[in-house]
Amino acid sequence: MIRLSLSQFFAVTQHMVSNFDILLDKDKATMRALFHNPVIMRGVPWPSPFFSVGGWYKAELRREADGWKISHLSEDIAYNQCASSIVLFVLGILYLARFIYQLTSNS
């Protein structure tokens, strides 16, 4: 079995959610919240953060006997900034190749 984890590639991530806007209507609700997620990749000395993405979460909720449940969740990405999408792509391929090499060399 092969198990992949984002923690193998990302040294630091931070997920911030704020500015909640909630509209209640009896047993239903809608919610919108701002999110910002900066990420630093392992083994990449520059830049810090390597990329960051942000936008809004949108959710529809319903009240049930045991509490509020999310019935629908989506995100609207407002920005996705990285040093260069080409550099990110190349580094991703290199990390994947290194991971596959480690898997096969340990067998």
Side-chain angles (χ1 to χ4, degrees):
M1 173 171 49
I2 297 174
R3 174 175 282 174
L4 294 174
S5 169
L6 290 179
S7 64
Q8 293 172 289
F9 304 103
F10 299 144
V12 177
T13 65
Q14 183 177 22
H15 203 100
M16 295 171 275
V17 182
S18 67
N19 298 13
F20 290 86
D21 184 17
I22 301 170
L23 179 63
L24 292 173
D25 183 17
K26 299 179 185 173
D27 290 336
K28 294 182 181 180
T30 58
M31 182 274 305
R32 180 178 160 169
L34 179 68
F35 74 88
H36 174 70
N37 184 12
V39 176
I40 297 172
M41 293 185 70
R42 290 192 186 284
V44 178
W46 51 265
S48 183
F50 190 72
F51 70 89
S52 87
V53 61
W56 294 271
Y57 287 129
K58 293 181 177 180
E60 296 174 7
L61 302 98
R62 66 182 181 280
R63 187 189 327 238
E64 295 185 356
D66 58 342
W68 287 92
K69 305 292 181 185
I70 297 174
S71 56
H72 180 77
L73 180 64
S74 64
E75 66 182 25
D76 289 336
I77 295 176
Y79 60 92
N80 190 346
Q81 301 169 329
C82 70
S84 166
S85 57
I86 294 171
V87 171
L88 182 59
F89 175 76
V90 169
L91 286 175
I93 296 297
L94 292 174
Y95 274 106
L96 183 59
R98 186 178 92 184
F99 179 74
I100 292 170
Y101 174 76
Q102 290 173 342
L103 280 177
T104 56
S105 65
N106 291 335
S107 303

